[in-house]
């Protein structure tokens, strides 16, 4: 059993919970997810089965789109509503749509972001959330991320009694982006504490929310011996690569790791190529400027 399942992860489950449940449903150990979602976040979680686990890095490298909301006027330990409130600064009046839009614009483009303490990033061999749960704070190196767009839906809703303002947003960003940290950074741009209130992943690995299936759907498909209608091919993770179909002679060479010239593949030295045989993507080859050849980068199947 090989392929990709565009799973809808429900709130309340960890990404590993989903992997564990699918291992049980599918009766296979070779299952991996392509990008952690916090328990309080729902949405698209591509799951790779069998040899498709080899394309996990390529799924993770794709951009992601999220929809959610940020609440201004308070902060928590975890940067979302799962944590303990550590600061309150009641707003006397709401920020205008122009003010919040300008703050979001300042967080758009290629920026530096410091991973939150409640995250799985490792420092000195330990995950940051392990330090956080022990009440410790450690220095974290900032990462370069890209926020393609940070769209806010107007000025949102102002709660005069609580002194908070909640604004809906949609974000398109690169891998490694912590959206809850962006919510906190939005507050910092406005000079107030902030917290991510809700979050749904709309797109990941080329899959959209409308393409997802639930754990119950997978279980039903297995019971009806129809799992193939849910599994997507490995090639779904490689759609952005130029594809070259191999004849039998070239396939024999490729599956033995032979280097190939640009002429043999009828290419003008594209940086990377997805090579297919009989309609199935078998591997990625990359161009070596030094050797003037295509060389194996990643093999997905050799038969």
């Amino acid at each position: 059993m090989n392929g990709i399942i565009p799973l809808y992860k429900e709130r309340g489950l960890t990404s590993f919970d989903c992997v564990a449940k699918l291992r049980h449903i599918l009766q296979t150990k070779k299952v991996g997810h392509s990008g952690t979602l916090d328990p309080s976040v729902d949405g698209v979680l591509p799951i790779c089965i069998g040899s498709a686990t080899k394309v996990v890095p390529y799924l993770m490298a794709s951009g992601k789109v999220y929809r959610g909301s940020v609440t201004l006027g308070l902060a928590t330990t975890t940067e979302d509503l799962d944590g303990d409130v550590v600061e309150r600064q009641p707003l006397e009046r709401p920020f205008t749509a122009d003010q919040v839009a300008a703050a979001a614009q300042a967080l758009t483009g290629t920026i530096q972001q410091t991973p939150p303490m409640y995250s799985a990033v490792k420092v000195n061999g330990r995950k940051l959330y392990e330090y956080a749960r022990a009440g410790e704070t450690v220095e974290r190196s900032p990462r370069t991320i890209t926020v393609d767009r940070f769209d806010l839906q107007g000025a949102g809703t102002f709660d005069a009694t609580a002194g908070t303002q909640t604004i809906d947003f949609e974000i398109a960003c690169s891998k490694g982006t912590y959206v809850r940290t962006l919510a906190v950074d939005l507050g910092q741009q406005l000079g107030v504490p902030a917290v991510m209130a809700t979050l749904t992943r709309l797109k990941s690995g080329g899959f959209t929310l409308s393409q997802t299936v639930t754990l119950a759907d997978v279980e039903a498909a297995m019971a009806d011996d129809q799992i193939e209608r849910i599994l997507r091919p490995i090639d779904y993770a490689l759609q952005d690569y130029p594809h070259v179909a191999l004849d039998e002679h070239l396939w024999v060479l490729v599956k033995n790791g032979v280097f190939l010239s640009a002429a043999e593949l009828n290419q003008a030295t594209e940086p990377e190529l997805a090579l297919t045989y009989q309609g199935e993507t078998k591997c990625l080859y990359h161009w070596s400027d030094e050797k003037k050849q295509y060389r194996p980068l990643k093999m997905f199947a050799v038969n």
Side-chain angles (χ1 to χ4, degrees):
M1 186 184 301
N2 304 296
I4 306 167
I5 295 176
L7 187 72
Y8 170 73
K9 190 195 85 66
E10 302 171 14
R11 288 194 172 115
L13 294 176
T14 66
S15 296
F16 183 75
D17 288 338
C18 295
V19 168
K21 288 177 182 292
L22 285 172
R23 283 176 177 159
H24 175 71
I25 293 169
L26 302 175
Q27 294 297 294
T28 181
K29 291 183 178 180
K30 208 165 184 182
V31 179
H33 67 74
S34 60
T36 303
L37 283 180
D38 293 337
S40 61
V41 180
D42 67 339
V44 184
L45 181 65
I47 303 282
C48 295
I49 314 297
S51 62
T53 54
K54 294 180 180 180
V55 301
V56 164
Y58 303 98
L59 285 170
M60 292 182 68
S62 69
K64 297 171 175 60
V65 179
Y66 297 87
R67 179 179 61 220
S69 59
V70 55
T71 296
L72 307 174
L74 75 155
T76 69
T77 52
T78 58
E79 302 185 343
D80 58 22
L81 294 180
D82 289 341
D84 298 325
V85 175
V86 292
E87 183 182 2
R88 288 188 184 274
Q89 184 181 325
L91 308 182
E92 295 181 1
R93 64 183 64 83
F95 291 97
T96 67
D98 286 344
Q99 286 174 314
V100 294
Q105 184 60 39
L107 298 171
T108 303
T110 300
I111 61 174
Q112 296 293 301
Q113 184 184 70
T114 301
M117 281 302 302
Y118 277 91
S119 67
V121 174
K122 285 188 176 181
V123 173
N124 298 324
R126 291 177 63 192
K127 293 179 179 177
L128 284 175
Y129 66 72
E130 294 173 338
Y131 290 105
R133 288 171 180 170
E136 304 172 42
T137 301
V138 295
E139 187 173 342
R140 292 98 73 199
S141 299
R143 296 173 161 190
T144 300
I145 62 167
T146 301
V147 179
D148 296 307
R149 57 184 177 86
F150 191 168
D151 299 330
L152 298 176
Q153 309 302 309
T157 304
F158 179 62
D159 184 334
T161 302
T164 59
Q165 183 177 357
T166 298
I167 306 162
D168 294 333
F169 63 76
E170 190 169 299
I171 285 177
C173 56
S174 65
K175 71 171 184 176
T177 302
Y178 285 91
V179 180
R180 50 194 160 97
T181 300
L182 280 178
V184 171
D185 292 342
L186 182 72
Q188 289 179 345
Q189 290 287 328
L190 296 166
V192 297
V195 64
M196 188 186 74
T198 62
L199 192 66
T200 296
R201 186 191 277 167
L202 301 178
K203 184 178 181 180
S204 179
F207 296 100
T208 62
L209 197 59
S210 63
Q211 295 173 293
T212 57
V213 295
T214 65
L215 288 168
D217 291 332
V218 178
E219 196 163 22
M222 278 294 288
D224 294 338
D225 198 24
Q226 296 289 320
I227 193 63
E228 293 301 325
R229 68 179 175 81
I230 282 180
L231 285 171
R232 302 294 187 269
I234 288 175
D235 194 57
Y236 209 98
L238 307 169
Q239 296 179 81
D240 292 338
Y241 292 85
H243 284 50
V244 174
L246 304 173
D247 59 24
E248 186 173 353
H249 168 69
L250 285 177
W251 169 230
V252 171
L253 296 178
V254 165
K255 69 180 178 180
N256 286 291
V258 174
F259 305 160
L260 300 173
S261 68
E264 285 176 295
L265 292 173
N266 194 27
Q267 289 296 308
T269 61
E270 289 281 354
E272 293 175 343
L273 296 172
L275 304 185
T276 69
Y277 179 62
Q278 295 183 343
E280 181 182 357
T281 299
K282 297 293 188 178
C283 60
L284 288 178
Y285 262 46
H286 71 103
W287 177 254
S288 168
D289 274 328
E290 180 184 356
K291 300 296 183 180
K292 303 302 180 185
Q293 291 175 313
Y294 278 103
R295 298 185 164 205
L297 177 63
K298 189 79 169 180
M299 295 298 296
F300 304 122
V302 292
N303 51 31

